[in-house]
Coordinates of all heavy atoms in Angstrom, one line a residue:
H1 N 10.0 -18.9 -5.5 CA 8.8 -18.5 -4.7 C 9.3 -18.1 -3.3 O 10.1 -18.8 -2.7 CB 7.9 -19.8 -4.5 CG 7.5 -20.3 -5.8 ND1 6.3 -19.9 -6.4 CD2 7.9 -21.3 -6.6 CE1 6.1 -20.6 -7.5 NE2 7.1 -21.5 -7.6
S2 N 8.8 -16.9 -2.9 CA 9.3 -16.4 -1.6 C 8.3 -15.3 -1.1 O 7.4 -15.0 -1.8 CB 10.7 -15.9 -1.7 OG 10.8 -14.8 -2.5
D3 N 8.6 -14.8 0.0 CA 7.8 -13.7 0.6 C 8.7 -12.6 1.0 O 9.9 -12.8 1.4 CB 7.1 -14.2 1.9 CG 6.0 -15.2 1.6 OD1 5.4 -15.1 0.5 OD2 5.8 -16.1 2.5
I4 N 8.3 -11.3 0.8 CA 9.0 -10.2 1.2 C 8.1 -9.4 2.2 O 7.0 -9.1 1.9 CB 9.4 -9.2 0.1 CG1 10.3 -9.9 -0.9 CG2 10.0 -7.9 0.5 CD1 10.5 -9.1 -2.2
N5 N 8.6 -9.1 3.4 CA 7.9 -8.3 4.4 C 8.7 -7.1 4.7 O 9.9 -7.2 5.1 CB 7.6 -9.1 5.7 CG 6.6 -10.2 5.4 OD1 5.5 -10.0 4.9 ND2 7.0 -11.4 5.8
L6 N 8.2 -5.9 4.5 CA 8.9 -4.7 4.8 C 8.1 -3.8 5.7 O 6.9 -3.5 5.5 CB 9.2 -3.9 3.5 CG 10.0 -4.6 2.4 CD1 10.0 -3.8 1.2 CD2 11.4 -4.8 2.9
T7 N 8.8 -3.2 6.7 CA 8.2 -2.2 7.6 C 8.9 -0.9 7.2 O 10.1 -0.8 7.2 CB 8.4 -2.5 9.1 OG1 7.8 -3.8 9.4 CG2 7.8 -1.4 10.0
L8 N 8.1 0.1 6.9 CA 8.7 1.4 6.4 C 8.5 2.5 7.4 O 7.4 2.7 7.9 CB 8.1 1.8 5.0 CG 8.1 0.7 3.9 CD1 7.4 1.2 2.7 CD2 9.6 0.4 3.6
K9 N 9.5 3.3 7.6 CA 9.4 4.5 8.4 C 9.6 5.8 7.7 O 8.8 6.7 7.7 CB 10.3 4.4 9.6 CG 9.9 3.3 10.5 CD 10.6 3.3 11.9 CE 10.1 2.1 12.7 NZ 10.3 2.2 14.0
A10 N 10.7 5.9 7.0 CA 11.0 7.1 6.3 C 11.8 6.8 5.0 O 13.0 6.5 5.1 CB 11.8 8.1 7.1
I11 N 11.2 6.8 3.9 CA 11.9 6.6 2.6 C 11.6 7.7 1.6 O 10.6 8.4 1.8 CB 11.5 5.2 2.0 CG1 10.0 5.1 1.7 CG2 11.9 4.1 3.0 CD1 9.6 4.0 0.9
K12 N 12.4 7.8 0.6 CA 12.1 8.7 -0.5 C 11.4 8.1 -1.6 O 10.6 8.7 -2.3 CB 13.4 9.3 -1.0 CG 14.1 10.2 0.1 CD 15.3 10.9 -0.5 CE 15.9 11.7 0.6 NZ 17.1 12.4 0.2
S13 N 11.6 6.8 -1.8 CA 10.9 6.0 -2.8 C 11.2 4.5 -2.6 O 12.2 4.2 -2.0 CB 11.2 6.5 -4.2 OG 12.5 6.1 -4.6
L14 N 10.4 3.7 -3.1 CA 10.6 2.3 -3.1 C 10.0 1.7 -4.4 O 8.9 1.9 -4.7 CB 9.9 1.6 -1.9 CG 10.0 0.1 -1.8 CD1 11.4 -0.4 -1.5 CD2 9.1 -0.4 -0.7
S15 N 10.8 0.9 -5.0 CA 10.4 0.2 -6.3 C 10.8 -1.3 -6.1 O 11.9 -1.6 -5.9 CB 11.0 0.8 -7.5 OG 10.6 0.2 -8.6
I16 N 9.8 -2.2 -6.3 CA 10.0 -3.6 -6.2 C 9.4 -4.2 -7.5 O 8.3 -4.0 -7.8 CB 9.3 -4.2 -5.0 CG1 9.9 -3.7 -3.7 CG2 9.5 -5.8 -5.0 CD1 9.2 -4.1 -2.4
E17 N 10.2 -5.0 -8.1 CA 9.8 -5.9 -9.2 C 10.1 -7.3 -8.9 O 11.2 -7.7 -8.7 CB 10.5 -5.5 -10.6 CG 10.0 -4.2 -11.1 CD 10.6 -3.9 -12.4 OE1 10.8 -4.8 -13.3 OE2 10.9 -2.7 -12.7
A18 N 9.0 -8.1 -8.7 CA 9.2 -9.5 -8.2 C 8.4 -10.4 -9.1 O 7.4 -10.1 -9.7 CB 8.7 -9.6 -6.8
S19 N 8.8 -11.7 -9.1 CA 8.1 -12.7 -9.8 C 7.8 -13.8 -8.8 O 8.7 -14.3 -8.1 CB 9.0 -13.2 -10.9 OG 8.4 -14.3 -11.6
R20 N 6.6 -14.2 -8.8 CA 6.1 -15.3 -7.9 C 6.5 -15.1 -6.5 O 7.0 -16.0 -5.8 CB 6.6 -16.6 -8.4 CG 6.1 -16.9 -9.8 CD 6.7 -18.2 -10.4 NE 6.4 -18.3 -11.8 CZ 5.5 -19.2 -12.3 NH1 4.9 -20.0 -11.5 NH2 5.3 -19.2 -13.5
T21 N 6.3 -13.8 -6.0 CA 6.7 -13.5 -4.7 C 5.6 -12.7 -4.0 O 5.1 -11.7 -4.6 CB 8.0 -12.6 -4.7 OG1 9.0 -13.4 -5.3 CG2 8.4 -12.2 -3.3
N22 N 5.1 -13.1 -2.8 CA 4.2 -12.3 -2.1 C 4.9 -11.1 -1.4 O 6.0 -11.3 -0.9 CB 3.6 -13.1 -0.9 CG 2.7 -14.2 -1.5 OD1 1.9 -14.0 -2.4 ND2 2.8 -15.4 -0.8
V23 N 4.4 -9.9 -1.6 CA 5.0 -8.7 -1.0 C 4.0 -8.1 0.0 O 2.9 -7.8 -0.3 CB 5.3 -7.7 -2.1 CG1 5.9 -6.4 -1.5 CG2 6.3 -8.3 -3.1
T24 N 4.5 -7.9 1.2 CA 3.8 -7.2 2.3 C 4.5 -6.0 2.7 O 5.7 -6.1 3.1 CB 3.5 -8.2 3.5 OG1 2.8 -9.3 3.0 CG2 2.7 -7.5 4.6
I25 N 3.9 -4.8 2.7 CA 4.5 -3.6 3.1 C 3.7 -3.0 4.3 O 2.4 -3.0 4.2 CB 4.6 -2.6 2.0 CG1 5.5 -3.2 0.9 CG2 5.1 -1.2 2.4 CD1 5.5 -2.4 -0.4
M26 N 4.4 -2.6 5.3 CA 3.7 -2.0 6.5 C 4.3 -0.6 6.8 O 5.2 -0.5 7.5 CB 4.0 -3.0 7.7 CG 3.3 -4.3 7.5 SD 3.8 -5.6 8.7 CE 5.4 -6.1 8.0
P27 N 3.7 0.4 6.1 CA 4.2 1.7 6.3 C 3.7 2.2 7.7 O 2.7 1.9 8.2 CB 3.5 2.6 5.2 CG 2.3 1.8 4.8 CD 2.6 0.3 5.1
S28 N 4.6 3.0 8.4 CA 4.2 3.5 9.7 C 3.0 4.5 9.6 O 2.2 4.5 10.5 CB 5.4 4.2 10.3 OG 5.9 5.3 9.5
D29 N 2.9 5.2 8.5 CA 1.7 6.0 8.2 C 1.3 5.8 6.8 O 2.0 6.3 5.9 CB 2.0 7.5 8.5 CG 0.8 8.4 8.4 OD1 -0.3 7.9 7.8 OD2 0.9 9.6 8.7
Y30 N 0.2 5.2 6.6 CA -0.3 4.9 5.2 C -0.4 6.1 4.3 O -0.1 6.1 3.2 CB -1.7 4.2 5.3 CG -2.2 3.6 4.1 CD1 -1.8 2.3 3.7 CD2 -3.0 4.3 3.2 CE1 -2.2 1.7 2.5 CE2 -3.4 3.7 2.0 CZ -3.0 2.5 1.6 OH -3.4 1.9 0.5
N31 N -0.8 7.2 4.9 CA -1.1 8.4 4.1 C 0.2 9.2 3.8 O 0.1 10.3 3.1 CB -2.1 9.3 4.8 CG -3.4 8.6 4.9 OD1 -4.0 8.2 3.9 ND2 -4.0 8.5 6.1
E32 N 1.3 8.8 4.2 CA 2.6 9.5 3.9 C 3.2 9.1 2.6 O 4.2 9.7 2.2 CB 3.6 9.2 5.0 CG 3.3 9.9 6.3 CD 3.3 11.5 6.2 OE1 4.2 12.0 5.6 OE2 2.3 12.1 6.6
Y33 N 2.5 8.2 1.8 CA 3.1 7.7 0.6 C 2.0 7.8 -0.5 O 0.8 7.7 -0.3 CB 3.6 6.3 0.7 CG 4.7 6.2 1.8 CD1 4.3 5.8 3.1 CD2 6.0 6.6 1.5 CE1 5.3 5.7 4.1 CE2 6.9 6.5 2.5 CZ 6.6 6.1 3.8 OH 7.6 6.0 4.8
N34 N 2.5 7.8 -1.8 CA 1.7 7.5 -3.0 C 2.0 6.0 -3.3 O 3.1 5.5 -3.0 CB 2.1 8.4 -4.1 CG 1.7 9.8 -4.0 OD1 0.6 10.1 -3.4 ND2 2.5 10.7 -4.4
Y35 N 1.0 5.4 -4.0 CA 1.2 4.0 -4.3 C 0.9 3.7 -5.7 O -0.1 4.3 -6.3 CB 0.2 3.2 -3.4 CG 0.5 3.3 -1.9 CD1 -0.1 4.3 -1.2 CD2 1.3 2.4 -1.3 CE1 0.1 4.5 0.2 CE2 1.5 2.6 0.1 CZ 1.0 3.6 0.8 OH 1.2 3.7 2.1
K36 N 1.6 2.8 -6.3 CA 1.3 2.2 -7.6 C 1.6 0.7 -7.5 O 2.8 0.3 -7.5 CB 2.1 2.8 -8.7 CG 1.7 2.3 -10.1 CD 2.4 3.0 -11.2 CE 1.9 2.5 -12.5 NZ 2.6 3.1 -13.6
L37 N 0.6 -0.1 -7.3 CA 0.7 -1.5 -7.1 C 0.1 -2.3 -8.3 O -1.0 -2.0 -8.7 CB 0.1 -2.0 -5.8 CG 0.3 -1.1 -4.6 CD1 -0.5 -1.6 -3.4 CD2 1.8 -1.1 -4.2
T38 N 0.8 -3.3 -8.8 CA 0.3 -4.0 -10.0 C 0.6 -5.5 -9.8 O 1.8 -5.8 -9.4 CB 1.0 -3.6 -11.3 OG1 0.8 -2.2 -11.4 CG2 0.4 -4.3 -12.5
S39 N -0.4 -6.4 -9.9 CA -0.2 -7.8 -9.8 C -1.2 -8.6 -10.6 O -2.3 -8.2 -10.7 CB -0.3 -8.2 -8.3 OG -0.1 -9.6 -8.1
D40 N -0.7 -9.8 -11.0 CA -1.7 -10.7 -11.6 C -2.5 -11.4 -10.5 O -3.5 -12.0 -10.7 CB -0.9 -11.8 -12.4 CG -0.2 -11.2 -13.6 OD1 -0.6 -10.2 -14.1 OD2 0.8 -11.8 -14.1
G41 N -1.9 -11.4 -9.3 CA -2.6 -11.9 -8.1 C -3.4 -10.9 -7.5 O -3.7 -9.8 -8.0
K42 N -3.8 -11.1 -6.2 CA -4.7 -10.2 -5.5 C -3.8 -9.1 -4.9 O -2.7 -9.3 -4.5 CB -5.5 -10.9 -4.4 CG -6.5 -11.8 -5.1 CD -7.4 -12.4 -4.0 CE -8.4 -13.3 -4.7 NZ -9.5 -13.6 -3.8
I43 N -4.5 -7.9 -4.7 CA -3.9 -6.8 -3.9 C -4.8 -6.5 -2.7 O -6.0 -6.4 -2.9 CB -3.8 -5.6 -4.8 CG1 -2.8 -5.8 -6.0 CG2 -3.3 -4.4 -4.0 CD1 -2.8 -4.7 -7.0
F44 N -4.2 -6.5 -1.6 CA -5.0 -6.2 -0.3 C -4.5 -4.9 0.2 O -3.3 -4.7 0.5 CB -4.7 -7.3 0.7 CG -5.2 -8.7 0.2 CD1 -4.3 -9.6 -0.3 CD2 -6.5 -9.0 0.3 CE1 -4.7 -10.8 -0.7 CE2 -6.9 -10.3 -0.2 CZ -6.0 -11.2 -0.7
V45 N -5.5 -4.0 0.5 CA -5.2 -2.7 1.0 C -6.2 -2.5 2.2 O -7.2 -3.2 2.2 CB -5.4 -1.5 0.0 CG1 -4.3 -1.7 -1.1 CG2 -6.7 -1.5 -0.6
P46 N -6.0 -1.5 3.0 CA -7.0 -1.2 4.1 C -8.4 -0.9 3.5 O -8.5 -0.4 2.4 CB -6.4 0.1 4.8 CG -4.9 0.0 4.6 CD -4.8 -0.6 3.2
T47 N -9.4 -1.3 4.2 CA -10.8 -1.3 3.7 C -11.1 0.1 3.2 O -11.8 0.1 2.1 CB -11.7 -1.7 4.9 OG1 -11.3 -2.9 5.4 CG2 -13.1 -1.8 4.4
Q48 N -10.7 1.2 3.8 CA -11.1 2.5 3.3 C -10.6 2.8 2.0 O -11.1 3.8 1.3 CB -10.8 3.6 4.4 CG -9.3 3.8 4.6 CD -8.8 3.0 5.8 OE1 -9.2 1.9 6.0 NE2 -7.8 3.6 6.4
Y49 N -9.6 2.1 1.5 CA -9.1 2.4 0.1 C -9.4 1.3 -0.9 O -9.0 1.4 -2.1 CB -7.5 2.4 0.2 CG -7.1 3.5 1.2 CD1 -6.6 3.1 2.4 CD2 -7.2 4.8 0.9 CE1 -6.2 4.1 3.3 CE2 -6.7 5.8 1.8 CZ -6.3 5.4 3.0 OH -5.9 6.4 3.9
A50 N -10.2 0.3 -0.5 CA -10.6 -0.8 -1.4 C -11.3 -0.3 -2.7 O -11.1 -1.0 -3.7 CB -11.4 -1.8 -0.7
A51 N -12.0 0.8 -2.6 CA -12.7 1.2 -3.8 C -11.8 1.7 -4.9 O -12.2 1.8 -6.1 CB -13.7 2.4 -3.4
Q52 N -10.5 2.0 -4.6 CA -9.5 2.4 -5.6 C -8.9 1.2 -6.3 O -8.1 1.4 -7.2 CB -8.5 3.3 -4.9 CG -9.1 4.6 -4.4 CD -8.1 5.4 -3.6 OE1 -8.1 5.4 -2.4 NE2 -7.2 6.1 -4.4
L53 N -9.2 0.0 -5.9 CA -8.7 -1.2 -6.6 C -9.3 -1.3 -8.0 O -10.5 -1.1 -8.1 CB -8.9 -2.4 -5.8 CG -8.1 -2.6 -4.6 CD1 -8.6 -3.8 -3.7 CD2 -6.6 -2.9 -5.0
K54 N -8.5 -1.5 -9.0 CA -9.0 -1.6 -10.4 C -8.5 -2.9 -11.1 O -7.5 -3.5 -10.6 CB -8.6 -0.4 -11.2 CG -9.2 0.9 -10.6 CD -9.0 2.0 -11.6 CE -9.5 3.3 -11.1 NZ -10.3 3.6 -10.1
K55 N -9.1 -3.3 -12.2 CA -8.6 -4.4 -12.9 C -8.4 -4.0 -14.4 O -9.3 -3.3 -14.9 CB -9.6 -5.6 -12.8 CG -9.1 -6.9 -13.3 CD -10.0 -8.0 -12.8 CE -9.4 -9.3 -13.2 NZ -8.4 -9.8 -12.3
S56 N -7.3 -4.4 -15.0 CA -7.0 -4.1 -16.4 C -6.5 -5.4 -17.0 O -5.4 -5.8 -16.8 CB -5.9 -3.0 -16.5 OG -5.6 -2.8 -17.8
G57 N -7.4 -6.0 -17.7 CA -7.1 -7.3 -18.3 C -6.9 -8.3 -17.1 O -7.8 -8.4 -16.3
K58 N -5.8 -9.0 -17.0 CA -5.6 -9.9 -16.0 C -4.9 -9.3 -14.8 O -4.7 -9.9 -13.7 CB -4.7 -11.1 -16.5 CG -5.3 -12.0 -17.5 CD -4.4 -13.1 -17.9 CE -5.1 -13.9 -19.0 NZ -4.3 -15.1 -19.4
Q59 N -4.6 -8.0 -14.9 CA -3.8 -7.4 -13.8 C -4.7 -6.6 -12.8 O -5.7 -5.9 -13.3 CB -2.8 -6.4 -14.3 CG -1.6 -7.1 -15.0 CD -0.5 -6.1 -15.4 OE1 -0.8 -5.0 -15.7 NE2 0.7 -6.6 -15.2
N60 N -4.4 -6.7 -11.6 CA -5.1 -5.9 -10.5 C -4.2 -4.7 -10.3 O -2.9 -4.8 -10.2 CB -5.3 -6.7 -9.2 CG -6.3 -7.8 -9.5 OD1 -7.4 -7.6 -9.8 ND2 -5.9 -9.1 -9.3
I61 N -4.8 -3.5 -10.1 CA -4.0 -2.3 -10.0 C -4.6 -1.5 -8.8 O -5.8 -1.4 -8.7 CB -4.1 -1.5 -11.3 CG1 -3.5 -2.3 -12.4 CG2 -3.4 -0.1 -11.1 CD1 -3.7 -1.7 -13.8
F62 N -3.7 -0.9 -8.1 CA -4.1 0.0 -7.0 C -3.2 1.3 -7.2 O -1.9 1.1 -7.2 CB -3.9 -0.5 -5.6 CG -4.1 0.5 -4.5 CD1 -5.4 0.8 -4.2 CD2 -3.1 1.0 -3.8 CE1 -5.7 1.7 -3.2 CE2 -3.3 2.0 -2.8 CZ -4.6 2.3 -2.5
E63 N -3.8 2.4 -7.4 CA -3.0 3.7 -7.5 C -3.6 4.7 -6.5 O -4.8 4.9 -6.5 CB -3.0 4.2 -8.9 CG -2.1 3.5 -9.8 CD -1.9 4.2 -11.2 OE1 -1.0 5.0 -11.3 OE2 -2.7 3.9 -12.1
M64 N -2.7 5.3 -5.8 CA -3.2 6.4 -4.9 C -2.1 7.5 -5.0 O -1.0 7.3 -4.7 CB -3.3 5.9 -3.4 CG -3.9 7.0 -2.5 SD -4.2 6.3 -0.9 CE -2.8 7.0 0.0
K65 N -2.6 8.7 -5.5 CA -1.7 9.8 -5.6 C -2.3 11.0 -4.9 O -3.5 11.2 -4.9 CB -1.5 10.2 -7.1 CG -0.9 9.1 -7.9 CD -0.7 9.5 -9.4 CE -0.1 8.3 -10.1 NZ -0.1 8.6 -11.6
S66 N -1.4 11.7 -4.2 CA -1.9 12.9 -3.4 C -1.1 14.1 -3.8 O 0.0 14.0 -4.4 CB -1.7 12.6 -1.9 OG -0.3 12.3 -1.6
T67 N -1.6 15.2 -3.5 CA -1.0 16.5 -3.7 C -0.8 17.2 -2.4 O -1.8 17.3 -1.6 CB -1.8 17.4 -4.7 OG1 -2.1 16.6 -5.8 CG2 -1.1 18.6 -5.1
P68 N 0.3 17.7 -2.1 CA 1.6 17.7 -2.9 C 2.1 16.3 -3.0 O 1.8 15.4 -2.2 CB 2.5 18.7 -2.1 CG 2.0 18.6 -0.7 CD 0.5 18.3 -0.7
A69 N 3.0 16.2 -3.9 CA 3.6 14.8 -4.2 C 4.3 14.3 -2.9 O 5.0 15.0 -2.2 CB 4.6 14.9 -5.3
K70 N 4.1 13.0 -2.7 CA 4.7 12.3 -1.6 C 5.6 11.2 -2.1 O 5.5 10.9 -3.3 CB 3.6 11.7 -0.7 CG 2.8 12.8 0.0 CD 1.7 12.2 0.9 CE 0.9 13.3 1.5 NZ -0.1 12.8 2.3
P71 N 6.5 10.6 -1.3 CA 7.3 9.5 -1.8 C 6.4 8.4 -2.4 O 5.3 8.1 -1.8 CB 8.0 9.0 -0.5 CG 8.0 10.2 0.4 CD 6.7 10.9 0.1
I72 N 6.9 7.7 -3.4 CA 6.1 6.7 -4.0 C 6.6 5.3 -3.7 O 7.8 5.1 -3.6 CB 6.0 6.9 -5.6 CG1 5.0 5.9 -6.2 CG2 7.4 6.7 -6.2 CD1 4.5 6.2 -7.5
I73 N 5.6 4.4 -3.5 CA 5.9 3.0 -3.3 C 5.3 2.3 -4.6 O 4.1 2.3 -4.8 CB 5.2 2.4 -2.1 CG1 5.9 3.1 -0.8 CG2 5.4 0.9 -2.0 CD1 5.2 2.7 0.5
E74 N 6.2 1.7 -5.4 CA 5.8 1.0 -6.6 C 6.1 -0.5 -6.4 O 7.3 -0.8 -6.1 CB 6.5 1.5 -7.8 CG 6.1 2.9 -8.3 CD 6.8 3.2 -9.6 OE1 6.3 2.8 -10.6 OE2 7.8 3.9 -9.5
V75 N 5.1 -1.3 -6.6 CA 5.4 -2.8 -6.5 C 4.7 -3.4 -7.7 O 3.5 -3.2 -8.0 CB 4.8 -3.4 -5.2 CG1 5.1 -4.9 -5.1 CG2 5.4 -2.7 -4.0
T76 N 5.5 -4.3 -8.4 CA 4.9 -5.1 -9.5 C 5.3 -6.5 -9.2 O 6.5 -6.8 -8.9 CB 5.5 -4.7 -10.8 OG1 5.2 -3.3 -11.0 CG2 4.9 -5.5 -11.9
T77 N 4.4 -7.4 -9.2 CA 4.7 -8.9 -9.0 C 3.7 -9.7 -9.9 O 2.7 -9.2 -10.3 CB 4.6 -9.3 -7.5 OG1 5.0 -10.6 -7.4 CG2 3.2 -9.2 -7.0
T78 N 4.2 -10.9 -10.2 CA 3.4 -11.8 -11.0 C 2.9 -12.9 -10.2 O 3.6 -13.5 -9.4 CB 4.2 -12.3 -12.2 OG1 5.3 -13.0 -11.7 CG2 4.6 -11.2 -13.1
F79 N 1.6 -13.2 -10.4 CA 1.0 -14.4 -9.8 C 0.8 -14.4 -8.3 O 0.1 -15.3 -7.8 CB 1.7 -15.7 -10.2 CG 1.9 -15.8 -11.7 CD1 3.2 -15.7 -12.3 CD2 0.8 -16.0 -12.5 CE1 3.3 -15.8 -13.6 CE2 1.0 -16.1 -13.9 CZ 2.3 -16.0 -14.5
N80 N 1.3 -13.5 -7.6 CA 1.2 -13.5 -6.1 C 0.6 -12.3 -5.6 O 0.2 -11.4 -6.4 CB 2.6 -13.8 -5.5 CG 3.1 -15.2 -5.7 OD1 3.2 -15.7 -6.8 ND2 3.2 -15.9 -4.6
T81 N 0.5 -12.1 -4.3 CA -0.3 -11.0 -3.7 C 0.7 -9.9 -3.3 O 1.8 -10.1 -3.0 CB -1.1 -11.5 -2.5 OG1 -0.1 -12.0 -1.5 CG2 -2.0 -12.6 -2.8
I82 N 0.0 -8.7 -3.2 CA 0.6 -7.5 -2.6 C -0.3 -7.1 -1.5 O -1.5 -7.0 -1.7 CB 0.8 -6.4 -3.6 CG1 1.6 -6.8 -4.8 CG2 1.4 -5.1 -2.9 CD1 1.6 -5.8 -6.0
T83 N 0.3 -6.9 -0.3 CA -0.6 -6.5 0.8 C 0.1 -5.2 1.4 O 1.3 -5.2 1.7 CB -0.6 -7.6 1.9 OG1 -1.1 -8.8 1.3 CG2 -1.5 -7.2 3.1
I84 N -0.8 -4.2 1.7 CA -0.4 -3.1 2.4 C -1.2 -3.1 3.7 O -2.4 -3.1 3.8 CB -0.7 -1.7 1.7 CG1 -0.1 -1.8 0.3 CG2 -0.3 -0.5 2.5 CD1 1.4 -1.6 0.2
K85 N -0.4 -3.1 4.9 CA -1.1 -3.2 6.2 C -0.9 -1.9 6.9 O 0.1 -1.2 6.8 CB -0.4 -4.3 7.0 CG -0.7 -5.6 6.5 CD -0.2 -6.7 7.4 CE -0.5 -8.1 7.0 NZ -0.1 -9.1 7.8

């Protein structure tokens, strides 16, 4: 059990696979990335994107893709939360 907190400025991609770990990501500009977040726990995103949260079985999913393609942030965790601030 642990927590991961990341502040992002300029990346090409980020992929995190975690178990029983809370993950918090703080991008410098939310709209500069695509997102694919999956968790058995809750996913927290800024209010204006909350409508894009979905549930598939026991998993909560948040996907945001833009055109042209932007760097992707992929996070998968079990039982814990993913937060994008």
Side-chain angles (χ1 to χ4, degrees):
H1 303 275
S2 63
D3 295 326
I4 297 173
N5 293 305
L6 299 171
T7 300
L8 305 177
K9 292 194 181 197
I11 61 167
K12 292 185 181 181
S13 69
L14 174 68
S15 180
I16 297 172
E17 291 186 34
S19 179
R20 299 176 190 252
T21 301
N22 293 319
V23 177
T24 300
I25 297 176
M26 297 169 278
S28 57
D29 183 351
Y30 190 87
N31 294 307
E32 286 299 312
Y33 302 98
N34 288 325
Y35 299 88
K36 184 174 182 185
L37 313 176
T38 307
S39 179
D40 295 336
K42 293 187 178 195
I43 297 175
F44 298 99
V45 295
T47 307
Q48 66 266 34
Y49 302 105
Q52 293 175 261
L53 287 166
K54 299 190 182 342
K55 192 160 184 86
S56 176
K58 293 181 180 182
Q59 290 190 322
N60 292 302
I61 299 168
F62 175 77
E63 285 190 89
M64 186 172 103
K65 295 179 183 174
S66 59
T67 306
K70 296 181 179 178
I72 188 160
I73 295 175
E74 288 186 82
V75 180
T76 302
T77 188
T78 56
F79 306 111
N80 287 60
T81 63
I82 300 171
T83 304
I84 305 290
K85 293 184 176 182

